[in-house]
Amino acid sequence: MNRRDEATRLDSHDPLRAMRDAFALPQDRVYLDGNSLGALPRCVSERVRAVVDQQWGRDLITSWNVHGWVNLPLSVGEKIAPLIGAAPGQVVCCDSISVNLFKLLATALGLRPSRRVVLTCAGDFPTDAYMGQGLHSLLGAERCEMRAVGVGELADALDETVAVLMMTEVDFRSGRRHDMRELTAAAHACGALVLWDLAHSAGALPVDLDDCGVDMAVGCGYKFLNGGPGAPAFLYLAQRHHNQVTQPLSGWFGHAAPFAFDPDYRAAPGISAYQAGTPGVIGMQALDAALDLFTGLEPASLRRKSLALTGFFMEGVAADPALAAMEVLTPTEEARRGSQVSLRHPEAHAIAQCLIAAGVIVDFRDPDIVRFGFAPLYNSFTDAAIALQCLSTVLSAGAYANERYRQRAQVT
Ligand SMILES: Cc1ncc(COP(=O)(O)O)c(C=O)c1O
Ligand SMILES: Nc1c(O)cccc1C(=O)C[C@H](N)C(=O)O
């Protein structure tokens, strides 16, 4: 059976295939970039229209109470919680990952006052280290020292100076998935806390924060949760760490009584204290609607589909002699794989541009990686087969050598 027929067969047996219809995907494109920006759920268009026209347009400021706008950060947080293995009361939806990292890193240093090191994995998405570097400038080297090491050196680097280990579960370049349970236990064994970045996990694979004993986590709403460009992020802090440290972005939405307008800050109890200012209601409502698509779905079913898609794609790459020059960076071992396949080639940028021009939307990561993101809610095996065919044609024809594919855009 050829790959297209095999894809058709797999699609017909896919228990999640009906979910694709919940998305407004363009007919003439194959979208494999949900690991950067999730596709548009139809229910989000409807919700945003209703929020703008009826809630904002007609009910105006009464909507903060009447439509529950004021509670959105907590209510949306509660909708995200089951997707990341968190019991109620520990997740709030607000701000961006970057901003939430600042709050949590400061909290971690406050919870471990005799330690100063934030240990990170070299090569993780840079904003995580950037936020730590900002904290270092603010607090000084005696209170905050950033230390980045390779994955293989993490175990040795965990010593009594480390306050917190900050790791991304799925590497944005390679798609490699780290062992959350094992690394969390290793950090705890040396008395450190652990903070996981779930940007490339939430909505694509099961995460068991409570069960793994994780202390803190962040993640974003615009990738596999499909909340739209710039959707609010989320933040998790385990119950046992609540009410001990005042997070530094102490804005009025995290105050115990915001509408008492006290001159002095008094933190709200629990996770609510991790809010800062007024939530972006339209973005929050878009994410809230998008999360409804996960209702009743087992995260394990998403994982099965994601692994089947990435596995099918990787097999196709391995079987095609035209793709021999593309190095597969993503682990073939399922437990170590996220929901993307990354291929390395010296002409990766031009190859990605050729694919996009042919209607297969992928992205490029400097200097030489083409990423194929597989969103289990809406990608099909046929998407993967079309992408394989297109990639094969691009490489066999050498189309990427054309000068017009070499222009670099501002956002890649
Ligand atoms: C792992 C990871 N962390 C953080 C970010 C950035 O998050 P934000 O833009 O919400 O601060 C991204 C992607 O943009 C990411 O892939
Ligand atoms: N957040 C992004 C943005 O504002 C513009 C373009 C891309 C992004 C991304 O999410 C990039 C993504 N974190 C990555 O894995 O590379």
Side-chain angles (χ1 to χ4, degrees):
M1 197 184 290
N2 73 29
R3 213 155 282 280
R4 264 313 267 283
D5 292 342
E6 174 65 358
T8 309
R9 191 189 67 78
L10 289 168
D11 283 333
S12 69
H13 288 92
D14 170 15
L16 294 177
R17 71 183 176 284
M19 297 302 300
R20 185 178 172 96
D21 296 336
F23 290 84
L25 287 163
Q27 296 293 314
D28 56 346
R29 311 261 165 100
V30 168
Y31 190 63
L32 296 179
D33 214 353
N35 53 330
S36 202
L37 174 66
L40 169 66
R42 296 182 195 282
C43 59
V44 168
S45 314
E46 287 160 29
R47 174 76 71 88
V48 169
R49 261 194 300 274
V51 168
V52 170
D53 294 342
Q54 289 154 37
Q55 300 187 6
W56 178 17
R58 189 191 60 204
D59 299 334
L60 293 158
I61 201 163
T62 65
S63 295
W64 284 103
N65 294 312
V66 175
H67 297 294
W69 287 0
V70 72
N71 296 320
L72 280 168
L74 294 174
S75 63
V76 177
E78 291 306 358
K79 267 190 175 174
I80 295 169
L83 297 175
I84 55 172
Q90 305 178 102
V91 182
V92 62
C93 180
C94 55
D95 303 315
S96 59
I97 288 191
S98 306
V99 171
N100 289 334
L101 283 169
F102 189 82
K103 301 172 202 172
L104 288 177
L105 286 175
T107 301
L109 292 169
L111 289 168
R112 291 287 179 275
S114 62
R115 298 171 172 224
R116 64 173 192 287
V117 171
V118 175
L119 183 64
T120 64
C121 189
D124 270 356
F125 196 81
T127 203
D128 299 31
Y130 297 163
M131 296 314 289
Q133 289 161 19
L135 203 55
H136 161 88
S137 312
L138 198 68
L139 300 178
E142 316 73 48
R143 271 312 288 129
C144 178
E145 179 192 324
M146 298 301 294
R147 197 178 290 165
V149 301
V151 178
E153 295 144 39
L154 280 168
D156 286 343
L158 279 165
D159 61 26
E160 68 293 342
T161 65
V162 178
V164 58
L165 168 64
M166 173 168 66
M167 294 280 303
T168 299
E169 188 186 15
V170 176
D171 182 79
F172 81 106
R173 288 194 182 88
S174 66
R176 172 180 173 174
R177 183 192 192 193
H178 295 293
D179 190 326
M180 178 178 285
R181 193 175 297 278
E182 193 179 291
L183 283 161
T184 300
H188 287 171
C190 92
L193 299 165
V194 68
L195 193 177
W196 285 97
D197 182 334
L198 305 176
H200 295 264
S201 312
L205 45 97
V207 181
D208 295 315
L209 294 180
D210 286 349
D211 199 50
C212 290
V214 169
D215 302 285
M216 306 168 170
V218 292
C220 68
Y222 50 73
K223 298 183 195 286
F224 294 107
L225 298 183
N226 310 305
F234 64 85
L235 166 166
Y236 161 94
L237 180 66
Q239 189 93 45
R240 62 187 176 280
H241 299 309
H242 289 186
N243 311 322
Q244 294 187 44
V245 171
T246 301
Q247 63 94 356
L249 301 182
S250 44
W252 72 306
F253 260 70
H255 193 281
F259 287 86
F261 303 112
D262 283 347
D264 295 319
Y265 184 76
R266 194 162 40 89
I271 199 68
S272 194
Y274 282 79
Q275 298 183 65
T278 311
V281 169
I282 300 171
M284 198 69 83
Q285 292 269 16
L287 177 57
D288 183 63
L291 288 166
D292 286 342
L293 296 180
F294 291 91
T295 308
L297 287 183
E298 280 297 317
S301 67
L302 295 171
R303 179 67 170 154
R304 269 193 299 279
K305 168 97 179 273
S306 154
L307 285 173
L309 284 167
T310 50
F312 176 82
F313 187 80
M314 289 166 98
E315 277 164 29
V317 172
D320 186 347
L323 303 182
M326 303 223 69
E327 180 195 349
V328 181
L329 288 185
T330 308
T332 45
E333 188 194 339
E334 291 196 340
R336 301 273 65 83
R337 196 193 309 155
S339 204
Q340 71 186 56
V341 177
S342 300
L343 303 180
R344 176 175 272 160
H345 189 284
E347 295 290 348
H349 178 265
I351 293 170
Q353 292 310 306
C354 283
L355 289 171
I356 294 168
V360 176
I361 314 294
V362 296
D363 67 23
F364 158 76
R365 284 294 168 260
D366 217 34
D368 55 6
I369 298 171
V370 191
R371 297 193 309 182
F372 299 79
F374 290 92
L377 275 187
Y378 52 81
N379 281 129
S380 63
F381 293 90
T382 300
D383 288 339
I386 294 171
L388 282 167
Q389 177 64 55
C390 194
L391 184 60
S392 189
T393 308
V394 166
L395 269 106
S396 331
Y400 55 84
N402 191 311
E403 210 38 53
R404 84 183 128 120
Y405 296 121
R406 294 177 180 277
Q407 302 284 339
R408 296 268 181 125
Q410 206 179 346
V411 175
T412 57

